[in-house]
Amino acid sequence: MKSTRDCLQATSDYVRSFRNSSPYINAHRGRTFVVLLDGQGIQHPNFANIINDLALLNSLGVRLVLAYGARPQIMERLERRGLSLEYAGARPVITNEVLEAVKDAAGSAGIDIQSRLSMGLPNSPMHGASLRVATGNMITARPVGVIDGKDFGHTGQVRKVDCDAINRQLDDRAIVLLPPLGFSPTGEVFSLSVEEVATRAAIELKADKLVVFSERQGLLDDTGEVIRVMPPREAGRRLETLDETSGGYAALHAAWQTSRFGVNRAHLISYQQDGALIEELFTRNGGGTMITQELYEQVRDATIEDVGGILELIRPLEEQGVLVRRSRERLENEIDLFTVVELDGMMIGCAALYPFGEEGIGELACVAVHRQYQGGQRGDLILQHIEKRANRIGLNRLFVLTTHTAHWFRERGFEPADVDALPRARQELYNWQRNSKVFVKAL
Ligand code: ARG
């Protein structure tokens, strides 16, 4: 008979990733996502894929609001008419003539999006499935007016988002399309920034997510790696270092703003990369940068609910003989001794601390980090947490018995020791057959 491990290896990548994505398929159903796609994204060759992925989300029951921009399309039209756009700071001045180009460009981009969405899901049984798009005067605007003597003309600001109207359409499973235009009760039209439309809509609809498509894949750290998660406070600090007119500013500002006003997760992804939306939404790690207040990954004391997750995590290691086998009963009895690392609801690391109070020493045992998350800092996080726990209960030394990972412990301050160094009760249980090495660390 095949062992579980052989079967695991035979599981195809496709099957594994489908299984991994299923929690998110369920989690996203019925949720409201606001998506921001600027005019550059619409012009990009990947636009067709983005629209197909949005259709897919709609078919999975996600309530979708798509706010789009049309800046380069507006510029093209102005150029053709021999007009130019004047800016004051990051804000354009929209004269009567410019407004005509804005209406043309925004209207035409909106129609392109609608026609693409009308195809349903290409290459699928849902091809041609009627997918409804709702658009209209859902944003009320007011003029920016005159600032420092400068009249901004038809440049507007969002005054009100008609949440009732939008929600009715979403209830009806339509995708709501928001142009970068706002209307006033006096019959005027104002040009709005797509970032403001998306931000206000996400906040006022109490959306679960804002997804911002921008040129880059997200925010990068000093080594050029994508930063996976960032708390709003740090995003705010980053904004201060950016020039208001620079490329990434508007996208990051939108994500930061929504996350400060109750939108749980704001995601920055690239409009250039095929499948970026799917990867971000249906994998645990995502592909871009997520701005969130939540504890997306946390190290904490285990509770009885974690037993199942811990078992799943340590089974493969038990089968390889790296860890000693533990039964569910034993784990349930000892759960208070465990520390776990949880990533978006999945157990990715654990360890236990068995105290020997009289001797002032504790055993660090059952240290495990999920295969896909090794090589990061998880092991260290767990060790730090365990050391704090040990201090809290008055222990001054830790020991560990290991057959496979001696170097890892040595690098973290553990020194080789004899079996005599173990507390008496533990010496009696020492399994000479396993011939584990003993390491001790003073705290
Ligand atoms: N797929 C999950 C979600 O949609 C998690 C995404 C995590 N993304 C990240 N960049 N860390 O919420």
Side-chain angles (χ1 to χ4, degrees):
M1 209 182 81
K2 274 186 173 178
S3 78
T4 325
R5 195 154 26 111
D6 290 341
C7 291
L8 274 182
Q9 271 159 2
T11 309
S12 73
D13 290 348
Y14 168 71
V15 170
R16 198 170 310 137
S17 60
F18 186 79
R19 283 183 184 148
N20 283 337
S21 62
S22 63
Y24 289 113
I25 296 177
N26 289 312
H28 296 337
R29 191 178 299 120
R31 298 292 156 110
T32 304
F33 297 176
V34 174
V35 175
L36 186 165
L37 184 63
D38 66 13
Q40 261 152 355
I42 296 179
Q43 275 184 334
H44 196 273
N46 191 39
F47 167 66
N49 296 324
I50 293 176
I51 294 294
N52 291 342
D53 288 345
L54 291 173
L56 176 64
L57 284 185
N58 172 266
S59 77
L60 292 174
V62 174
R63 298 159 64 87
L64 271 185
V65 176
L66 174 59
Y68 69 93
R71 185 65 57 85
Q73 291 84 345
I74 294 170
M75 299 310 287
E76 242 170 54
R77 281 170 174 75
L78 289 178
E79 218 164 282
R80 253 187 271 142
R81 295 173 198 179
L83 296 167
S84 64
L85 190 56
E86 187 197 338
Y87 277 87
R91 224 180 238 139
V93 177
I94 309 290
T95 59
N96 288 339
E97 286 160 314
V98 173
L99 183 66
E100 290 311 308
V102 171
K103 288 198 281 191
D104 277 3
S108 151
I111 289 166
D112 283 348
I113 295 174
Q114 291 178 60
S115 70
R116 283 239 164 234
L117 281 170
S118 302
M119 282 166 51
L121 287 174
N123 299 324
S124 89
M126 293 180 72
H127 182 63
S130 65
L131 191 157
R132 244 161 313 114
V133 184
T135 184
N137 61 341
M138 291 151 181
I139 304 283
T140 311
R142 61 183 162 81
V144 164
V146 181
I147 300 175
D148 295 335
K150 177 103 230 141
D151 185 353
F152 280 84
H154 291 275
T155 304
Q157 269 176 321
V158 175
R159 176 186 228 158
K160 206 180 115 229
V161 178
D162 190 345
C163 293
D164 285 345
I166 295 176
N167 275 319
R168 258 197 309 275
Q169 298 299 337
L170 294 176
D171 290 345
D172 207 24
R173 302 201 65 149
I175 293 183
V176 173
L177 192 59
L178 299 178
L181 296 173
F183 304 87
S184 83
T186 55
E188 278 177 292
V189 182
F190 292 98
S191 169
L192 301 173
S193 81
V194 57
E195 287 84 12
E196 197 196 351
V197 171
T199 307
R200 286 286 297 272
I203 295 170
E204 281 170 46
L205 287 165
K206 302 192 172 22
D208 299 282
K209 281 186 193 305
L210 170 74
V211 180
V212 182
F213 278 102
S214 60
E215 198 178 347
R216 277 192 262 132
Q217 204 190 335
L219 303 172
L220 306 181
D221 65 15
D222 298 340
T223 66
E225 287 274 323
V226 175
I227 301 172
R228 297 268 163 228
V229 195
M230 186 182 272
R233 208 173 338 114
E234 208 177 312
R237 250 182 260 133
R238 223 172 219 251
L239 272 177
E240 281 169 17
T241 67
L242 294 178
D243 175 6
E244 237 185 272
T245 56
S246 73
Y249 185 90
L252 180 57
H253 188 271
W256 171 70
Q257 184 81 335
T258 48
S259 64
R260 284 168 60 233
F261 287 94
V263 177
N264 259 341
R265 295 181 171 195
H267 306 257
L268 297 171
I269 59 175
S270 162
Y271 57 68
Q272 310 200 47
Q273 187 196 337
D274 183 17
L277 183 64
I278 301 299
E279 186 183 3
E280 180 62 21
L281 294 181
F282 295 101
T283 66
R284 280 207 160 69
N285 292 337
T289 301
M290 175 166 80
I291 313 275
T292 183
Q293 296 270 20
E294 296 175 327
L295 280 175
Y296 164 66
E297 177 170 345
Q298 56 171 332
V299 188
R300 57 170 173 79
D301 296 351
T303 70
I304 194 77
E305 277 86 50
D306 298 323
V307 170
I310 296 176
L311 276 172
E312 218 168 286
L313 175 68
I314 63 182
R315 271 303 166 251
L317 293 167
E318 291 177 353
E319 283 179 6
Q320 290 162 33
V322 177
L323 291 179
V324 187
R325 202 169 187 97
R326 278 175 173 72
S327 66
R328 177 179 278 271
E329 294 68 42
R330 173 163 175 213
L331 204 58
E332 282 174 4
N333 286 328
E334 295 179 347
I335 193 69
D336 290 339
L337 306 177
F338 274 78
T339 291
V340 292
V341 187
E342 187 187 320
L343 177 69
D344 217 10
M346 181 168 91
M347 207 55 67
I348 61 163
C350 74
L353 172 66
Y354 293 89
F356 296 85
E358 266 171 39
E359 282 105 332
I361 194 167
E363 175 174 5
L364 170 61
C366 201
V367 183
V369 175
H370 191 286
R371 202 163 38 83
Q372 285 168 9
Y373 295 91
Q374 282 164 10
Q377 302 298 304
R378 272 80 185 205
D380 293 285
L381 286 176
I382 297 174
L383 183 60
Q384 279 164 22
H385 194 267
I386 291 270
E387 288 180 2
K388 266 196 222 128
R389 268 181 100 153
N391 273 320
R392 213 164 48 217
I393 54 176
L395 306 177
N396 52 34
R397 278 167 310 146
L398 279 184
F399 74 88
V400 61
L401 297 179
T402 177
T403 51
H404 286 66
T405 47
H407 61 281
W408 192 88
F409 291 103
R410 293 221 56 181
E411 284 162 13
R412 283 153 187 87
F414 284 81
E415 298 290 342
D418 289 332
V419 178
D420 315 337
L422 302 180
R424 208 150 337 107
R426 192 65 177 86
Q427 281 178 33
E428 283 158 22
L429 284 175
Y430 182 82
N431 183 342
W432 292 99
Q433 244 171 3
R434 263 178 78 77
N435 194 18
S436 306
K437 304 240 166 359
V438 180
F439 292 90
V440 177
K441 177 176 181 176
L443 298 177

